[in-house]
Amino acid sequence: MRALLVANPAATTTSARTRDVLTHALASEMKLEAVTTEYRGHARDLARRAAEHGIDLVVALGGDGTVNEVVNGLLHNGPDPERLPRLAVVPGGSTNVFARALGLPNDAVEATGALLDALREQRERTVGLGLAAGTPGTEDESVPARWFTFCAGFGFDAGVVGRVEQQRERGKRSTHALYVRQLMRQFWDEPNRRRGAVTLERPGEDPVTDLVLSIVCNTSPWTYLGNRPIYASPEASFDTALDVLALNRLSTPAVARYATQLLTSTPERGPRGKHAVSLHDLTDFTLHSKVPLPFQMDGDHLGLRTSVRFTGVRRALRVIV
């Protein structure tokens, strides 16, 4: 088996020593080339070349951002599960939502052992993914399409992600406390929290208007707070298309209510109420905004957008589990 290991040296929870140990363990079982990323987008470029040169397996060692880049490199020319290299993930970030949603251990060493066992036993699955692109006829129509593995956000939650990235650029560590602090700051600075600017449109249905927060989920849970899974859309699955949780009000009482529901959410029950909109298994829909709003995918802030078109693609990529 020809394999490529793409390792992010800035991954939050892995050291150089850990990466060396993992590389030797994988190299003992396959013909492995290990490359350390050197710039933003490098993992995408490496995965794209791997797909073009017939590599059998690409292993992503890093956080959700590294996994997202690898997936976008593999799917540069579109999904083709039978032809493209299989993907394996060794979690090295602070949250590792995609890896944990697949049922992998959240420890890099344990995950490597599970990966090797899965390869020997030929355990894999084909997962669906989300695709976000610029909307034809809008000022964002030229924005390139990009795949996401577990979630995207347009509006409030993307603003929180952007604030966290700013803090990390200033040297702050990515911790759950940092996310909570930036969430509170985003709430107090949010100009549209009582009447949102986002409209959701889908074929054959009436528009859903005045949304403040819109979370698009490709799987469940949506994220983790420490070891606690948070279920924004409990029915979301790698086997279906996309789910949406949207809120049309973020007043102080509404935030308290929905935050509590998120913290106590389960695989059977997520946020609900008169200001919450939950939609399941959507293949095609568009989010429009009256004003430019923050946009994020897989925890990566992508700037401001006024419109994003979403597509849920079933059976997009084979993953080792």
Side-chain angles (χ1 to χ4, degrees):
M1 177 183 292
R2 297 171 61 209
L4 170 68
L5 171 65
V6 179
N8 180 1
T12 308
T13 58
T14 55
S15 64
R17 179 181 176 85
T18 301
R19 289 194 297 273
D20 288 342
V21 171
L22 300 182
T23 300
H24 286 302
L26 294 171
S28 67
E29 300 285 338
M30 62 193 75
K31 184 178 180 181
L32 182 73
E33 178 187 5
V35 182
T36 300
T37 57
E38 299 176 356
Y39 54 86
R40 188 165 186 167
H42 194 186
R44 179 197 60 222
D45 297 340
L46 291 168
R48 178 181 175 180
R49 286 198 290 270
E52 293 171 346
H53 289 87
I55 297 298
D56 301 301
L57 174 70
V58 176
V59 183
L61 170 56
D64 289 310
T66 303
V67 174
N68 180 278
E69 285 196 14
V70 167
V71 166
N72 275 277
L74 291 174
L75 298 181
H76 177 77
N77 293 315
D80 189 347
E82 301 308 315
R83 180 187 64 82
L84 291 173
R86 290 171 292 171
L87 171 69
V89 178
V90 177
S94 59
T95 310
N96 307 306
V97 178
F98 182 66
R100 294 162 85 175
L102 287 170
L104 298 173
N106 197 35
D107 175 81
V109 176
E110 291 181 14
T112 301
L115 165 61
L116 293 173
D117 289 342
L119 288 170
R120 295 186 192 108
E121 298 169 14
Q122 299 184 338
R123 294 198 313 264
E124 62 180 57
R125 64 178 293 188
T126 304
V127 299
L129 297 171
L131 182 66
T135 305
T138 71
E139 61 186 69
D140 292 321
E141 67 179 340
S142 62
V143 175
R146 180 165 170 171
W147 297 89
F148 60 97
T149 64
F150 65 92
C151 85
F154 187 46
F156 181 84
D157 85 296
V160 176
V161 171
R163 287 174 179 270
V164 170
E165 286 195 5
Q166 289 177 352
Q167 294 300 312
R168 292 188 66 182
E169 289 171 0
R170 295 170 184 166
K172 301 286 187 180
R173 291 189 69 248
S174 178
T175 64
H176 298 294
L178 177 63
Y179 274 89
V180 171
R181 289 195 301 271
Q182 300 312 312
L183 185 150
M184 295 308 299
R185 290 174 181 171
Q186 180 69 22
F187 170 71
W188 291 116
D189 291 343
E190 175 59 58
N192 303 304
R193 68 173 184 256
R194 293 190 178 276
R195 186 175 180 83
V198 177
T199 296
L200 186 152
E201 295 181 351
R202 50 190 168 136
E205 302 287 345
D206 292 334
V208 183
T209 61
D210 302 327
L211 302 175
V212 183
L213 177 149
S214 48
I215 297 171
V216 182
C217 292
N218 185 54
T219 189
S220 188
W222 164 50
T223 189
Y224 291 82
L225 189 60
N227 291 322
R228 179 190 292 274
I230 306 296
Y231 299 91
S233 297
E235 291 186 285
S237 166
F238 288 127
D239 298 320
T240 61
L242 302 173
D243 283 27
V244 177
L245 170 68
L247 302 178
N248 58 26
R249 178 170 293 188
L250 282 180
S251 62
T252 302
V255 167
R257 179 167 61 254
Y258 293 119
T260 300
Q261 290 181 357
L262 280 169
L263 290 172
T264 58
S265 58
T266 69
E268 293 77 34
R269 194 171 179 83
R272 63 237 170 247
K274 65 179 181 179
H275 299 303
V277 177
S278 295
L279 302 172
H280 175 57
D281 198 16
L282 304 184
T283 301
D284 295 287
F285 63 96
T286 303
L287 294 175
H288 299 285
S289 174
K290 302 171 186 175
V291 296
L293 292 177
F295 179 56
Q296 67 88 11
M297 295 172 62
D298 287 347
D300 186 9
H301 188 264
L302 300 179
L304 301 179
R305 303 280 178 85
T306 56
S307 184
V308 186
R309 182 177 180 180
F310 290 91
T311 305
V313 181
R314 297 177 176 86
R315 297 185 56 79
L317 190 66
R318 290 183 299 165
V319 182
I320 302 299
V321 292

